[in-house]
Amino acid sequence: MKALFDSYQLGPITLKNRIVMAPLTRSRAGKGEVPRELNAEYYKQRAGAGLIITEATQVSQQGQGYLWTPGIFTQEQVEGWKKVTAAVHSRGGEIFLQMWHVGRISHTRLQPNGASPISSTDKAAANSFSFTYDEAGKPAQLPTSKPHNATLAELKQVIADYERGAHNVEKAGFNGAEIHGANGYLFDQFMNSVVNERNDEYGNQAKETRTRLILEAFEAVAGVLGSAHVGVRIAPYGSFSGMAPDPKVEETFLYLAQQLTQRGAAYVHLVRGSQMDPEPVVPTEFFAKFRKAFEGSIIVTGGLTKRIAEQLLADNIADLFGFGSLYISNPDLVERFKNNWPLTPPDQTTFYGGDAHGYTDYPAYQPDLVTT
Ligand SMILES: Cc1cc2nc3c(=O)[nH]c(=O)nc-3n(C[C@H](O)[C@H](O)[C@H](O)COP(=O)(O)O)c2cc1C
């Protein structure tokens, strides 16, 4: 029988178990959006996971939507990430960088030259926030700015930014990259047939046009790292960051699954429900259809417990199991699961921004010493 704690062969990469640290934005990068020792310590503490996927990391300044999130487009950022990969590798961990472009989930104050963010539409995302400076210069959650529908030249630049990012991922010593196609960010804005209002080769009219941008990004990144080192994260049925219910959701994502199979993607990472959803939003039947359509490995994340993950493994829904919020407060999550030790709940007030508090000061579990 397959077990969560068994090693897993992710293409050419051997993972020491099937437990994945899901990508978690913590907004604690140093000046210039450069990862620092504090970040290296945080990831090292969590290197018991079979695979770590880093926090979302912008491939360009245009791709940024929140303060203090790290980047992967300057030499300083590459040097900063080297500290992180070295720390994780020193504990025998494997680590992929999550490559990010937020599209319209941004603010003119974060954009180069105060420009409007790019998207597949010129409508602002409903009920969505960017984390930036307010008029008084204080960090604040502000409604996202009105975007503009990207020109073809701008989309070409996005792909070039992903390619440069992939070279930097390699230089920084990562084992691979995950393309962030989930949670209402740029690629999701193109894949959603309601949000996407274009009618060109990247438009909403067909599954081929809606998925063109993310597939081009995949090819650019895989061209550098090799497709067996590139995964894609998606959130079908997700409503995070202004995603609209989409009647074409199944058609789009099952097509994407086939296309990623053909291109040899390492894995698809399915978001089962976001941290805002009380219950999983992806229907059970969709998982079964997706399993058939995609021949690579599948990671599933969202509202998992050890018990649910074991059930999904037994049901052959997925191969690898991601934990988000629990990894914030349980750096030794694998050991706790193995030994059925109690879990520490995360403190939401320290999720974003700040320093070591609520970040590297969650201790590993200390079993009571039994004295006789
Ligand atoms: C503080 C926080 C930050 C997150 N940042 C990211 C991110 O950078 N990229 C991403 O794809 N998902 C992000 N997520 C979503 C998680 O990866 C995960 O899908 C979600 O928390 C649901 O899993 P869970 O129930 O195990 O927490 C974040 C979630 C939280 C709570």
Side-chain angles (χ1 to χ4, degrees):
M1 214 177 69
K2 295 185 272 187
L4 281 184
F5 307 111
D6 289 349
S7 67
Y8 180 76
Q9 203 58 42
L10 181 66
I13 306 170
T14 306
L15 307 182
K16 57 189 167 194
N17 56 59
R18 293 173 182 261
I19 293 170
V20 175
M21 178 182 171
L24 292 161
T25 291
R26 306 301 309 278
S27 287
R28 282 168 168 86
K31 201 167 164 277
E33 286 79 38
V34 174
R36 50 194 173 130
E37 289 298 342
L38 179 70
N39 310 117
E41 175 62 19
Y42 164 79
Y43 283 110
K44 185 177 181 182
Q45 290 173 345
R46 286 155 182 77
L51 176 65
I52 290 176
I53 302 163
T54 70
E55 63 209 277
T57 300
Q58 58 269 6
V59 295
S60 61
Q61 192 191 333
Q62 188 193 60
Q64 186 174 3
Y66 307 87
L67 289 173
W68 314 316
T69 57
I72 188 76
F73 55 95
T74 69
Q75 192 51 41
E76 292 73 25
Q77 290 162 353
V78 172
E79 295 307 318
W81 280 120
K82 280 184 187 169
K83 296 178 190 162
V84 173
T85 59
V88 169
H89 291 152
S90 75
R91 286 194 60 205
E94 304 286 327
I95 180 166
F96 276 39
L97 179 118
Q98 190 185 47
M99 303 180 81
W100 197 22
H101 192 303
V102 296
R104 66 177 178 166
I105 308 301
S106 188
H107 194 281
T108 50
R109 284 203 195 103
L110 289 172
Q111 292 291 306
N113 308 315
S116 66
I118 62 163
S119 188
S120 57
T121 169
D122 56 10
K123 293 203 180 88
N127 307 318
S128 298
F129 296 88
S130 166
F131 182 45
T132 180
Y133 293 107
D134 65 15
E135 282 180 6
K138 282 214 187 106
Q141 303 265 3
L142 297 186
T144 53
S145 299
K146 187 173 142 40
H148 67 273
N149 213 331
T151 63
L152 291 179
E154 284 173 322
L155 295 183
K156 216 169 173 191
Q157 185 59 47
V158 167
I159 301 305
D161 292 340
Y162 270 83
E163 189 174 352
R164 174 185 58 198
H167 284 292
N168 287 339
V169 161
E170 191 166 45
K171 283 187 209 147
F174 285 97
N175 304 98
E178 175 175 286
I179 294 175
H180 195 345
N183 302 348
Y185 298 114
L186 184 70
F187 298 127
D188 219 5
Q189 292 158 30
F190 276 79
M191 287 191 285
N192 186 298
S193 74
V194 178
V195 170
N196 183 335
E197 296 189 308
R198 303 170 71 98
N199 55 16
D200 63 353
E201 62 258 52
Y202 296 94
N204 64 14
Q205 66 275 26
K207 52 192 188 307
E208 292 83 1
T209 52
R210 295 191 293 273
T211 55
R212 189 182 307 279
L213 192 64
I214 193 167
L215 288 171
E216 285 182 358
F218 180 87
E219 283 168 7
V221 174
V224 176
L225 301 177
S227 57
H229 294 268
V230 187
V232 174
R233 191 174 217 218
I234 53 173
Y237 302 90
S239 58
F240 197 77
S241 281
M243 280 296 99
D246 182 1
K248 304 271 176 64
V249 61
E250 198 173 295
E251 176 191 315
T252 304
F253 285 104
L254 294 181
Y255 173 76
L256 182 69
Q258 289 162 2
Q259 293 300 308
L260 289 173
T261 299
Q262 281 176 20
R263 288 165 177 78
Y267 67 80
V268 170
H269 187 169
L270 278 167
V271 178
R272 182 169 167 263
S274 87
Q275 63 273 29
M276 319 296 261
D277 300 311
E279 291 292 331
V281 294
V282 177
T284 315
E285 318 80 74
F286 180 84
F287 281 111
K289 288 181 191 166
F290 200 88
R291 190 59 148 171
K292 276 208 188 109
F294 183 64
E295 290 169 18
S297 298
I298 293 182
I299 308 178
V300 68
T301 296
L304 299 186
T305 58
K306 177 185 163 189
R307 196 190 56 74
I308 298 174
E310 283 175 339
Q311 189 61 52
L312 293 174
L313 180 61
D315 293 346
N316 193 31
I317 294 291
D319 307 291
L320 298 164
F321 301 88
F323 294 86
S325 19
L326 282 179
Y327 248 118
I328 292 178
S329 46
N330 299 276
D332 54 339
L333 189 63
V334 171
E335 289 306 307
R336 293 196 197 208
F337 279 163
K338 255 190 202 164
N339 297 290
N340 290 315
W341 287 335
L343 299 175
T344 304
D347 171 6
Q348 299 205 7
T349 64
T350 54
F351 274 8
Y352 307 106
D355 232 300
H357 177 54
Y359 190 57
T360 50
D361 64 354
Y362 286 108
Y365 185 71
Q366 296 284 332
D368 288 337
L369 291 176
V370 180
T371 48
T372 47

